[in-house]
Amino acid sequence: MPSVFIKTYGCQMNERDSEAVAAQLVAKGYTLAKSEASADVVLLNTCSVRDLAEQKAINKMKNLVGTARSEKRDQIVGFMGCMAQSRGQELIDKLPDVDLVLGTQKFHRAAEYLDELLAGTRKKIVDTATEAKSEATIREHLLNGSAKTSVSAFVSIMQGCNQHCTFCIVPATRGEERSRTIPDIVAECRELVARGVREITLLGQIVTSFGKRDYPLLDGKSAFVQLLDAVHAIEGLERIRFTSPHPKGYGDDLVAAYARLPKLCESAHIPLQSGSDRLLKLMHRGYTREKFLGIIQKLRQAKPNIGIYTDIIVGFPGETEEDFEQTLSLCREVQFDNAYIFKYSPRRDTPAAMMPDQVPLAIREERNERLLNLVNEIAARKYDAFIGRQVEILVEGPSKKNAARYTGRTRCNRIVLFDGSARHQGQLMDVKIERTGSFTLYGDPAVVNL
Ligand code: SAH
Ligand code: F3S
């Protein structure tokens, strides 16, 4: 049977899509290749959020086809995902060796198209059409890959985003918001738990908008909170997480869910983007600095130890030094556990790319560095505050770097390394944090688990 290698760029949604495609191909008899060079088929699952991510995948493809040619190997190669969706046929015009371009609503067609390409009945396939109900087709899991994936799984609950932030290409690559049904998602989660999964992360581009059109408010609860309730009721499931939410989705019902649902981990990745109200408006984010601060305050009231993570863009068009300082001051005020900082990257056909006053790269880089220094300083202090604390971790498996060490995650989503063994795999256990490394905590289980 033909073998396939899938390389993934970008976010957790992409990781999940790749896993589902791999699982669908395995079910059709394909095997998973260990390396690109040994594979009959190589698929690059792409990201379009920043130009750099697109360039990486394009360069990778050039290398792949160059190597295959020089070694006179027949290999089917394809792009799938966000860049495939936004560039379509243009990718084959630019790289004529590419055989397949598979859009974000067509992942479930991968096996059918690869069969045709391998059999030679078709030479090139580009499919970036929209497809009703495609949001419900990302449901197969591999789970037998690494040990880690059998403990914790991602479940895609919706596709697309209607927010149309002016910098963001995602609404174009992922389409309109489309949600799966609650029973369908719960059934998938139940199957996962029956296969040994103990932690589930619900995924979507804007999960807090889940099911808005399909499920009216129920006892003041939004559709997303209704989904959290339904997943929470699954016996044997220990932990629930979700990503990515939108700040406007943090109503009182969601804040209350953190206090009410013990399986919902006290960790939140809430994209901020900017601390300046003027910029938030230009970005079409739909909240103010004050509103954002209010959400953080309420979440910390509900769960004092909640881990709060964010995304920030520096150098959005028109960003002045004063705007940027607003972002710095907000970071000082909130004290994020960590923040992912992005230099603004103009994306095609987005309103921001056409705005005047694009910020020169040198300034974007300078602001990136200043913000990174602040964020890292706060993050390091937050890490150090863990020393001496006892925390509950879910053990995922051996550490990639050092097999004698095991790795687990705290409820607030920090990685903890400890001297463990196979018997710890999949266990919830308490460890005492002894020291910190860069973005890692080192724990000792012996102190508390005799
Ligand atoms: N809610 C989405 C956001 C997708 S993009 C999700 O997580 O799927 C992830 C992050 O990339 C955004 O939060 C934003 O900080 C950053 N980003 C998006 N578009 C960008 C652009 N044009 N330039 C720089 N960073 C960008
Ligand atoms: Fe992008 Fe804004 Fe949606 S960042 S994914 S348009 S919430």
Side-chain angles (χ1 to χ4, degrees):
M1 277 314 273
S3 63
V4 59
F5 188 89
I6 304 180
K7 184 169 170 61
T8 309
Y9 298 84
C11 65
Q12 287 156 317
M13 271 70 80
N14 282 11
E15 293 286 345
R16 174 70 194 106
D17 295 338
S18 292
E19 187 203 11
V21 170
Q24 287 164 10
L25 290 172
V26 167
K28 292 265 161 60
Y30 285 72
T31 59
L32 298 179
K34 293 253 180 312
S35 68
E36 298 150 11
S38 65
D40 300 311
V41 176
V42 180
L43 298 174
L44 303 184
N45 193 5
T46 55
C47 170
S48 286
V49 161
R50 284 170 299 279
D51 186 53
L52 193 69
E54 291 205 344
Q55 293 315 321
K56 265 195 208 160
I58 288 173
N59 288 334
K60 180 81 202 172
M61 185 58 86
K62 283 185 186 157
N63 287 340
L64 276 177
V65 295
T67 316
R69 240 196 224 165
S70 67
E71 293 175 2
K72 301 201 171 18
R73 272 188 287 117
D74 267 339
Q75 199 171 44
I76 299 287
V77 291
F79 285 113
M80 60 181 197
C82 287
M83 185 174 68
Q85 184 70 38
S86 69
R87 297 197 175 213
Q89 176 66 37
E90 179 195 325
L91 288 167
I92 293 189
D93 297 343
K94 200 166 161 181
L95 296 161
D97 287 322
V98 170
D99 305 289
L100 175 66
V101 177
L102 195 66
T104 52
Q105 306 199 19
K106 298 292 174 180
F107 292 119
H108 58 291
R109 307 288 291 270
E112 175 192 332
Y113 290 153
L114 289 177
D115 284 350
E116 290 176 315
L117 290 166
L118 285 160
T121 50
R122 284 174 81 180
K123 290 273 171 267
K124 305 272 169 200
I125 300 177
V126 177
D127 189 356
T128 57
T130 55
E131 186 170 323
K133 303 276 175 233
S134 62
E135 67 278 7
T137 59
I138 304 297
R139 52 169 312 135
E140 291 83 357
H141 291 261
L142 280 175
L143 292 188
N144 54 357
S146 72
K148 187 180 156 188
T149 50
S150 59
V151 177
S152 179
F154 293 136
V155 170
S156 171
I157 63 168
M158 67 179 304
Q159 291 285 334
C161 181
N162 293 353
Q163 178 68 26
H164 293 280
C165 300
T166 53
F167 53 79
C168 186
I169 200 170
V170 170
T173 60
R174 292 283 178 166
E176 293 270 307
E177 283 169 20
R178 290 153 290 132
S179 298
R180 295 173 66 186
T181 66
I182 294 179
D184 190 27
I185 296 166
V186 169
E188 180 177 335
C189 295
R190 270 190 208 289
E191 274 167 41
L192 287 167
V193 171
R195 289 165 74 183
V197 165
R198 310 195 75 188
E199 174 182 82
I200 284 176
T201 304
L202 305 174
L203 290 182
Q205 278 80 28
I206 180 161
V207 287
T208 40
S209 294
F210 168 83
K212 265 199 320 213
R213 270 168 295 174
D214 317 310
Y215 297 94
L217 281 185
L218 191 70
D219 301 330
K221 290 177 195 162
S222 62
F224 181 60
V225 173
Q226 294 172 41
L227 173 68
L228 289 177
D229 277 347
V231 174
H232 192 271
I234 298 173
E235 220 167 295
L237 179 64
E238 302 281 0
R239 288 178 166 192
I240 304 170
R241 303 182 188 279
F242 55 82
T243 200
S244 292
H246 187 280
K248 70 177 186 180
Y250 280 84
D252 289 343
D253 60 330
L254 183 53
V255 174
Y258 279 97
R260 197 164 52 77
L261 303 175
K263 295 178 187 175
L264 183 58
C265 288
E266 43 273 33
S267 147
H269 186 119
I270 317 180
L272 163 69
Q273 313 305 359
S274 170
S276 151
D277 281 343
R278 199 179 70 81
L279 251 63
L280 287 171
K281 201 161 190 178
L282 284 174
M283 289 175 164
H284 193 246
R285 289 292 292 173
Y287 53 88
T288 58
R289 172 191 179 92
E290 195 185 318
K291 176 91 197 297
F292 189 91
L293 285 169
I295 294 166
I296 305 298
Q297 197 184 12
K298 279 197 254 176
L299 284 172
R300 285 193 169 137
Q301 259 161 18
K303 287 278 172 185
N305 286 329
I306 190 166
I308 298 197
Y309 306 86
T310 200
D311 293 345
I312 299 171
I313 296 178
V314 294
F316 181 84
E319 185 185 70
T320 61
E321 178 63 23
E322 290 74 48
D323 291 318
F324 177 63
E325 277 167 17
Q326 292 272 304
T327 299
L328 290 173
S329 81
L330 195 139
C331 287
R332 280 193 206 99
E333 204 168 332
V334 171
Q335 302 271 308
F336 290 109
D337 290 83
N338 206 355
Y340 300 88
I341 303 166
F342 304 103
K343 283 172 273 187
Y344 171 70
S345 168
R347 309 312 298 131
R348 62 161 69 182
D349 300 331
T350 57
M354 270 79 90
M355 285 180 187
D357 305 324
Q358 297 283 324
V359 176
L361 183 61
I363 297 185
R364 280 183 268 159
E365 279 172 353
E366 186 244 354
R367 289 180 185 162
N368 181 65
E369 192 168 326
R370 279 162 68 199
L371 185 55
L372 200 60
N373 286 339
L374 173 65
V375 161
N376 284 346
E377 186 192 311
I378 296 168
R381 229 181 295 134
K382 293 233 158 182
Y383 269 91
D384 288 345
F386 273 87
I387 296 174
R389 267 180 61 191
Q390 185 174 319
V391 290
E392 181 202 90
I393 60 170
L394 175 62
V395 182
E396 293 176 348
S399 147
K400 272 195 201 120
K401 284 192 205 135
N402 175 354
R405 284 225 172 93
Y406 268 62
T407 162
R409 244 169 233 273
T410 66
R411 287 175 60 94
C412 59
N413 216 4
R414 288 169 191 271
I415 295 168
V416 178
L417 291 175
F418 66 100
D419 292 330
S421 61
R423 79 190 160 89
H424 294 121
Q425 171 94 30
Q427 299 296 313
L428 279 174
M429 58 192 267
D430 287 335
V431 294
K432 188 165 173 216
I433 302 303
E434 306 230 287
R435 62 190 173 93
T436 62
S438 89
F439 298 104
T440 321
L441 301 170
Y442 290 89
D444 184 352
V447 187
V448 281
N449 294 268
L450 295 171

